[in-house]
Amino acid sequence: MNNDDLFICIDHVGLAVPNLDEAIKFHTEVMGWRLLHRETNEEQGVEEAMIGTGDQLPESAQIQLLAPLNENSTIAKFLAKNGPGMQQLCYRVADIDAVCATLRERGVRLLYPEPKTGTGGARINFAHPKDTGGVLLELTQPVAGH
Ligand code: CMX
């Protein structure tokens, strides 16, 4: 895969938060962003919300608020170790299978053998932070139109 075809843009930055309602309130009422989407993802162990600068995706910049669903959640572990804060950076891609294959060829470990389901039904995978300079890097191929 050519380097020019790998990534489209930064899709979102993910913040680990202890309480989703309180985080939404802060980001909408104090920071003035809008709540674009909210869902529970049992497989990822998160209650999540997308907030953005507008409702015209994909132009809107987005922040993903991630709260733990239970004590076994990746986010619960992150919060216990680091406290609230930036947990991930997410790149949008057009073809996640091709991007994962290319990154694997280049020596980057992907967490899942096959993409899983993320926000709004997107196909997602993660590059291990130890292979990306200390940043948990999510790759997302959104459902068309979402
Ligand atoms: N960002 C940067 N580094 C991280 C990290 C993060 N979010 N999470 C863990 N690390 C680092 C730790 O600092 C640690 O480094 P040291 O060994 O130098 O201390 C190392 O990775 C191992 O950390 P750990 O606490 O033992 O964490 P685990 O190995 O248990 O889990 C990871 C790390 C990346 C495998 C796990 O967080 C994961 O599976 N993430 C992907 C799934 C996810 O994040 N789901 C929630 C979001 C869902 C969504 O976005 O839709």
Side-chain angles (χ1 to χ4, degrees):
M1 201 173 189
N2 292 327
N3 285 347
D4 286 348
D5 297 330
L6 277 171
F7 303 117
I8 298 172
C9 62
I10 292 174
D11 189 89
H12 62 263
V13 171
L15 307 183
V17 304
N19 182 298
L20 191 62
D21 289 324
E22 283 177 15
I24 291 172
K25 197 171 159 61
F26 171 75
H27 285 279
T28 56
E29 294 183 11
V30 178
M31 304 308 288
W33 289 46
R34 296 186 196 172
L35 177 61
L36 303 176
H37 176 78
R38 185 174 175 153
E39 74 178 72
T40 298
N41 186 329
E42 302 268 354
E43 186 178 38
Q44 290 294 329
V46 297
E47 235 195 309
E48 62 164 274
M50 281 291 183
I51 59 167
T53 50
D55 52 11
Q56 297 302 309
L57 294 177
E59 289 80 8
S60 169
Q62 296 181 96
I63 294 174
Q64 182 186 39
L65 304 174
L66 294 158
L69 258 190
N70 53 55
E71 62 191 20
N72 299 320
S73 165
T74 303
I75 299 300
K77 188 173 177 186
F78 181 93
L79 287 169
K81 190 169 174 183
N82 307 289
M86 190 172 146
Q87 188 256 353
Q88 58 165 268
L89 175 64
C90 179
Y91 291 171
R92 191 181 306 162
V93 303
D95 182 345
I96 196 167
D97 298 309
V99 172
C100 287
T102 302
L103 293 182
R104 280 194 187 98
E105 278 169 21
R106 296 180 182 183
V108 177
R109 281 170 295 168
L110 279 298
L111 293 185
Y112 310 138
E114 296 296 330
K116 295 193 178 191
T117 303
T119 310
R123 300 179 71 220
I124 62 167
N125 207 333
F126 294 85
H128 198 283
K130 291 294 175 192
D131 292 353
T132 57
V135 177
L136 176 61
L137 186 63
E138 181 179 2
L139 308 173
T140 184
Q141 180 183 336
V143 171
H146 196 280

